[in-house]
Amino acid sequence: MAVREILKMGDKRLLRHAQPVTAFDTDALHLLVSDLIDTMRAANGAGLAAPQIGVDLQVVIFGSGASNPRYPDRPVVPQTVLINPVIIPIETAMESDWEGCLSVPGLRGMVPRFGHIRYTGFNQYGDPIDRTVQGFHARVVQHECDHLWGTLYPMRMTDLTQLGFTDVLFPDIAAAEDD
Ligand code: NI
């Protein structure tokens, strides 16, 4: 268990298309998940993807409770380990909302995402996951899985006038942030 360094935008390792996991319930996979959880919690993140700590595998974790100071008013998303994910839009309508990213510290941007998706994949034990979700949960999944395809949220933005520093946009939230 360890808090790992989070790579920042500009690092080429964040632009790779990550490799699928081929063996589940292994010591190496459990260690990776443990490191992701420790690193996410230390940074008060709502999610973290393996490429963000330099690991080229399709593993993301996410989940947020009401106690997360980065997102104090957001709905609770269950703590989830999601491996080899597939995202299927249920409706093609997009919704825009603010996002931040631990690899893009200090900034927030308005990002369009599918508002209603089904996602599938596996947990670290190889058990299948199959959920249909909306809103913030759907947004978090799309954001984290984008890290597996080498995509950071600014690359999804359609209006760069809606990109700014968190302490300017949201002074109250910024006071609780680590980044
Ligand atoms: Ni991110």
Side-chain angles (χ1 to χ4, degrees):
M1 306 232 316
V3 174
R4 305 271 294 263
E5 180 192 0
I6 298 175
L7 307 183
K8 290 191 281 193
M9 184 167 65
D11 191 306
K12 295 274 192 293
R13 289 172 288 179
L14 290 170
L15 302 178
R16 295 183 294 198
H17 191 120
Q19 300 300 307
V21 169
T22 55
F24 293 88
D25 201 14
T26 64
D27 289 347
L29 186 56
H30 291 305
L31 183 62
L32 171 59
V33 169
S34 174
D35 283 359
L36 285 169
I37 291 170
D38 289 347
T39 305
M40 182 180 80
R41 287 187 177 154
N44 287 322
L48 192 65
Q52 291 181 275
I53 59 168
V55 175
D56 188 29
L57 288 172
Q58 292 180 21
V59 179
V60 302
I61 65 167
F62 54 84
S64 66
S67 62
N68 187 330
R70 277 171 62 88
Y71 300 96
D73 300 321
R74 292 297 176 80
V76 173
V77 176
Q79 294 292 334
T80 302
V81 176
L82 180 63
I83 297 171
N84 298 351
V86 174
I87 294 176
I88 306 118
I90 302 288
E91 296 165 20
T92 54
M94 309 294 273
E95 297 175 358
S96 288
D97 205 348
W98 294 101
E99 294 187 13
C101 179
L102 295 172
S103 293
V104 191
L107 297 173
R108 293 288 169 97
M110 183 67 82
V111 186
R113 301 283 187 188
F114 295 115
H116 192 185
I117 62 167
R118 175 184 175 197
Y119 68 93
T120 63
F122 302 89
N123 69 12
Q124 65 269 49
Y125 301 99
D127 302 320
I129 293 171
D130 186 341
R131 294 175 179 161
T132 299
V133 300
Q134 303 184 56
F136 183 59
H137 189 156
R139 176 169 300 277
V140 168
V141 172
Q142 289 169 86
H143 176 115
E144 294 312 325
C145 293
D146 258 358
H147 281 294
L148 306 180
W149 329 129
T151 301
L152 299 167
Y153 81 77
M155 298 155 70
R156 294 285 190 195
M157 291 183 65
T158 52
D159 179 0
L160 287 174
T161 70
Q162 300 268 61
L163 179 67
F165 288 96
T166 312
D167 59 346
V168 178
L169 290 165
F170 306 108
D172 295 341
I173 295 176
E177 283 209 338
D178 291 353
D179 63 33

